[in-house]
Amino acid sequence: MQKIIMEIINRIAEIIHENKDYLTDLDRAIGDGDHGINLNRGLLKIKEDAEKYSSLSDSEISNKIAMTLISNVGGASGALYGTAFMKMAAYIKDKENISKNDIPNIFSAGIEGIKMRGKSDVGEKTMLDTLIPFSNYLKENIKKEEKLNIIFSEALEKAKEGRDSTIEMLAKKGRASYLKERSIGHLDPGAASSYMILETITDVLRGKEI
Ligand code: ADP
Ligand code: MG
């Protein structure tokens, strides 16, 4: 897993870097215009530290990523994404081998962390509107015969629908909620970055044919 985690992290760092200005523009419309900058800073730091990760277990790597996100990203998203990695680390801590059936549980452990930390749920115009439909699809379909990369591709469609559903939503959490009705008509920046993250994970898996 370790190699695949690092490949995913490096690819996510690239994608967020490429989309830094786009994410920041989304956040400028309904927040404070720092989402892309925040995430880019955190991921650059993770990439920098990644060389020191080679002797660590999957769970330890996930914890390091969590700490780096919490202390370098700042803003709501740093704490929320950081908590997700912390909870995923806890879930995989005592597992010797991660099997296909564990994957949905790993995702939902992370998402439960975001829900708890953010006191939020689906339908409030946040990153959860992308993440929860993806995670639910995985949970409901992991037993299918298909390869993991097919199931992920299907789940990604749900994530995209969820992401786009935030456009018409009224924000109930985070800075965007201060705008009340004026938050309607804009894509949520966290929903957009979450989709990029899930799309990157799916792309890496597609390359592996697992
Ligand atoms: P900040 O709002 O502190 O500047 P960012 O701009 O980095 O932080 O991140 C904003 C994103 O964080 C939002 O677009 C939203 O998706 C997500 N977010 C904010 N508050 C919450 C919450 N309580 N629960 C889930 N996600 C949230
Ligand atoms: Mg912001």
Side-chain angles (χ1 to χ4, degrees):
M1 276 293 279
Q2 214 187 57
K3 261 176 90 178
I4 200 163
I5 294 176
M6 290 327 302
E7 185 178 346
I8 288 171
I9 287 295
N10 283 322
R11 293 270 294 272
I12 291 173
E14 276 168 32
I15 300 290
I16 296 294
H17 185 73
E18 284 163 18
N19 288 283
K20 174 168 69 81
D21 295 338
Y22 168 67
L23 291 172
T24 294
D25 285 346
L26 291 178
D27 194 32
R28 199 168 288 126
I30 54 169
D32 56 353
D34 62 358
H35 190 56
I37 299 168
N38 287 346
L39 283 181
N40 187 51
R41 187 175 50 237
L43 284 158
L44 281 178
K45 181 81 175 100
I46 292 170
K47 250 178 90 170
E48 228 177 84
D49 291 350
E51 286 165 25
K52 294 178 243 153
Y53 292 173
S54 57
S55 59
L56 304 181
S57 69
D58 295 337
S59 173
E60 287 165 336
I61 293 176
S62 196
N63 254 325
K64 289 267 182 215
I65 292 173
M67 294 311 150
T68 309
L69 289 173
I70 292 168
S71 50
N72 289 272
V73 173
S77 61
L80 294 165
Y81 280 134
T83 304
F85 276 92
M86 229 159 69
K87 296 291 177 187
M88 290 192 286
Y91 184 84
I92 58 180
K93 188 162 185 276
D94 300 318
K95 296 217 174 309
E96 298 234 323
N97 282 308
I98 294 172
S99 73
K100 187 180 173 210
N101 287 334
D102 290 321
I103 308 270
N105 298 335
I106 297 172
F107 274 87
S108 58
I111 289 165
E112 285 306 315
I114 296 178
K115 285 166 78 170
M116 186 200 68
R117 181 81 209 234
K119 299 187 177 56
S120 43
D121 210 330
V122 76
E124 297 183 312
K125 197 180 181 94
T126 71
M127 54 177 67
L128 290 172
D129 291 305
T130 303
L131 296 169
I132 291 179
F134 183 90
S135 168
N136 285 347
Y137 188 89
L138 285 188
K139 227 180 290 173
E140 287 153 17
N141 293 279
I142 199 70
K143 296 246 152 62
K144 285 206 297 200
E145 288 297 305
E146 272 103 346
K147 287 182 175 163
L148 200 57
N149 68 63
I150 306 278
I151 300 172
F152 267 63
S153 297
E154 292 166 355
L156 193 61
E157 286 302 309
K158 304 291 171 196
K160 188 187 251 171
E161 288 166 19
R163 176 195 69 184
D164 294 342
S165 74
T166 65
I167 297 174
E168 292 311 319
M169 282 181 194
L170 181 128
K172 300 216 178 84
K173 291 282 146 63
R175 277 177 208 281
S177 67
Y178 308 155
L179 296 178
K180 302 204 172 75
E181 275 73 24
R182 278 185 295 134
S183 66
I184 297 173
H186 300 277
L187 184 65
D188 176 65
S193 65
S194 290
Y195 181 79
M196 288 172 193
I197 293 169
L198 296 176
E199 188 180 33
T200 307
I201 297 173
T202 305
D203 270 353
V204 170
L205 292 181
R206 275 189 198 123
K208 306 272 174 266
E209 283 296 312
I210 49 176

